[in-house]
Amino acid sequence: MTTLSGLTEQIYSDRDIMGLFSGPGTIRRMLAVEAALARAQAHCGVIPDHAARSIHDVCHAEDIDAILDLEAIATASMLAGNIAIPFVKQLTAAVRRVDPEAARFVHWGATSQDVLDTALVLQLQQVAAQLDQDLDAAQRACARLTAAHRDTIMVGRTWLQHALPTTFGVKTAGWLEALARAQRRLRHDAEQAALLQFGGAAGTLASLGDAAPAIAGALAKELGLALPNMPWHAHRDRLADMAATLGVLTGTLGKIARDVSLMAQTEIAELAEPSGPGRGGSSTMPHKRNPVSSAAILAAATRVPPLVSTMLSAMVQEHERALGGWQAEWDVLPQICALTGGALRHMVGMLDGLEVHAANMARNVDATNGLILAEAYALALGARIGRMEAHELIEQASQEAVRRNCSLKAGVREALAKHEATRDLLGDHDLDRLGDPANYLGEAQSICDRVLASWAGSSS
């Protein structure tokens, strides 16, 4: 029985998705498939209408425990090899108790994998719908941050070191675009995976004779799924695509969480996760405010890639039905879905309440006494004396500014004044202009504007 439980799992995995893939959640989707199969076969005149009604009524019983023993199904599956075999046996017995004649037609013409795969597809559609909503919420939060901080100057960092000035809006615009790309991939893969699995014992539906095409079409319509040209029992590329897309999405969430957690470090203090009672505290240090959402997201981003690898490895399946590969998916794909959903829920909550400390961003820009603008000075000077010569002069000025703990602007002024040929190349006005980070943001604001316009156009 596919289950996701445990005390710590509640931290990382989405509870709704865990419930969807729980024992009762999985069985309910399997019952939905069996009921739809009976209705489709009655519609096509293959089984009596009264039998379909009886099967439908039993499958839609409000209390699953009244018709099925889930623990017994789980126990029997260890010998049967999957949960569908004992499930069908118990369902048949439950139908027999209310309509002995109808019991003859339970699971008519289907095979175990038809029921399990189609139930999985129904679950995945619900997962995709939830993730899509949460991705909308995360993007809206990023769009608000981008608009609000289009002009909020901060340090751009490369190799974890100060590089050049940028704006916080550029950073959140990058988050927004990555989330939008993830949503497009998810929607595409969810649509590709919304396919009925119905092929019978070996994928030929020989058990249903000439009625097979009509029944398959009716069953797909009953379940709201597309009808493929052929069953896909041993071709798992669509599911692998879905898993890989969720892996990429979780990686994107991990990237954002890494940015937030680094910017929330005490020494940086540019961001802080939302505060609240019981959130981010320490068992021994009353002052602590830990980035708990970032931790949960990063944990998921660490766990999901190996699970995706399992899905890719499981694609190598034998002939018309897999021996091991299909079975390896059963717990792995639900875990991928639940971890991705949990990471995304954490992300939405974190972005909605993210605290932005613009004053600390400005403080950090000034932390190196203007060294962050060395490139600006070098390029301005390079236009007059050549790039290499300018680079060397500004490099020497930077080293001198660090040694004397003075501003780079002062260091450049002194370096220029030392030589007759350079002392008049940059005047005080030039030095003041080059020493203002707001004058060396390049396309930062335009990037924010373009990303917001593109996102607004695609989401309207």
Side-chain angles (χ1 to χ4, degrees):
M1 188 71 63
T2 302
T3 59
L4 290 168
S5 60
L7 293 174
T8 57
E9 199 61 41
Q10 306 293 320
I11 301 172
Y12 312 109
S13 296
D14 182 83
R15 291 189 178 187
D16 291 340
I17 296 178
M18 290 169 70
L20 181 64
F21 286 106
S22 68
T26 297
I27 292 296
R28 283 200 180 279
R29 275 73 188 179
M30 294 171 67
L31 289 169
V33 174
E34 292 287 1
L37 175 61
R39 295 194 301 271
Q41 291 175 334
H43 175 78
C44 295
V46 174
I47 71 173
D49 288 339
H50 78 86
R53 287 194 297 272
S54 294
I55 295 170
H56 172 92
D57 290 345
V58 171
C59 288
H60 285 84
E62 186 172 341
D63 183 7
I64 292 181
D65 293 333
I67 60 170
L68 299 175
D69 183 343
L70 271 61
E71 287 298 324
I73 290 175
T75 300
S77 70
M78 289 188 284
L79 294 178
N82 66 61
I83 62 173
I85 294 172
F87 160 81
V88 170
K89 184 176 181 180
Q90 285 198 24
L91 177 59
T92 302
V95 172
R96 184 178 294 113
R97 289 194 290 270
V98 298
D99 187 344
E101 178 68 15
R104 296 169 47 202
F105 301 104
V106 172
H107 196 65
W108 188 262
T111 193
S112 297
Q113 192 168 354
D114 291 335
V115 177
L116 288 171
D117 275 352
T118 301
L120 173 64
V121 166
L122 297 177
Q123 291 169 312
L124 290 177
Q125 295 310 297
Q126 289 185 259
V127 169
Q130 177 181 311
L131 295 181
D132 192 77
Q133 289 183 344
D134 288 342
L135 278 166
D136 277 340
Q139 289 173 77
R140 287 194 298 270
C142 285
R144 289 193 298 269
L145 289 167
T146 301
H149 296 284
R150 171 185 182 273
D151 304 314
T152 302
I153 300 175
M154 65 168 291
V155 174
R157 298 175 173 94
T158 62
W159 289 43
L160 293 175
Q161 307 297 307
H162 284 211
L164 297 174
T166 184
T167 72
F168 184 54
V170 171
K171 187 176 290 289
T172 59
W175 299 350
L176 175 57
E177 282 230 312
L179 291 170
R181 291 192 298 272
Q183 186 175 50
R184 289 194 293 270
R185 286 190 293 264
L186 177 63
R187 288 176 175 176
H188 173 269
D189 289 346
E191 180 181 357
Q192 293 298 304
L195 294 174
L196 176 71
Q197 174 74 288
F198 190 54
T204 62
L205 280 178
S207 57
L208 296 175
D210 293 340
I215 293 172
L219 177 55
K221 185 176 181 180
E222 286 277 353
L223 294 172
L225 299 174
L227 179 64
N229 292 326
M230 62 179 292
W232 43 276
H233 293 111
H235 292 278
R236 316 304 285 181
D237 51 291
R238 299 179 186 92
L239 296 184
D241 276 342
M242 186 83 164
T245 287
L246 295 180
V248 172
L249 169 55
T250 309
T252 292
L253 299 175
K255 154 59 179 169
I256 298 172
R258 185 72 77 196
D259 282 349
V260 171
S261 58
L262 288 172
M263 294 172 70
Q265 291 182 101
T266 305
E267 297 81 1
I268 306 299
E270 295 173 345
L271 297 177
E273 288 193 4
S275 62
R279 180 185 174 92
S282 166
S283 62
T284 60
M285 294 172 284
H287 69 284
K288 287 297 291 293
R289 185 173 172 184
N290 294 319
V292 291
S293 288
S294 293
I297 295 165
L298 289 166
T302 301
R303 292 176 60 187
V304 167
L307 297 174
V308 174
S309 175
T310 298
M311 288 295 297
L312 296 175
S313 297
M315 291 179 66
V316 184
Q317 302 196 359
E318 300 79 16
H319 301 305
E320 282 65 54
R321 194 69 59 82
L323 182 67
W326 173 49
Q327 293 81 357
E329 299 172 358
W330 293 347
D331 291 317
V332 168
L333 190 52
Q335 288 175 353
I336 293 171
C337 292
L339 286 166
T340 304
L344 186 51
R345 283 285 173 92
H346 275 289
M347 181 60 67
V348 171
M350 182 176 73
L351 292 175
D352 274 340
L354 191 66
E355 297 179 13
V356 181
H357 302 306
N360 289 342
M361 292 180 179
R363 178 203 67 196
N364 290 334
V365 169
D366 294 335
T368 58
N369 287 328
L371 291 181
I372 195 171
L373 292 163
E375 182 184 78
Y377 288 107
L379 290 176
L381 192 59
R384 294 164 170 83
I385 63 174
R387 189 186 71 83
M388 284 305 300
E389 292 80 359
H391 183 91
E392 291 175 3
L393 189 148
I394 299 303
E395 185 176 38
Q396 292 170 6
S398 298
Q399 293 170 354
E400 184 67 12
V402 171
R403 188 184 69 81
R404 294 176 49 204
N405 194 28
C406 68
S407 70
L408 176 60
K409 181 168 65 174
V412 172
R413 181 183 287 115
E414 291 184 12
L416 292 173
K418 288 180 180 180
H419 306 285
E420 181 73 27
T422 60
R423 71 176 48 143
D424 295 325
L425 291 179
L426 295 176
D428 288 342
H429 175 73
D430 295 322
L431 292 172
D432 289 341
R433 177 178 55 82
L434 293 169
D436 185 351
N439 294 325
Y440 204 67
L441 294 174
E443 286 287 295
Q445 287 103 333
S446 297
I447 288 171
C448 294
D449 295 341
R450 288 197 299 269
V451 169
L452 287 173
S454 176
W455 175 78
S458 64
S459 61
S460 61

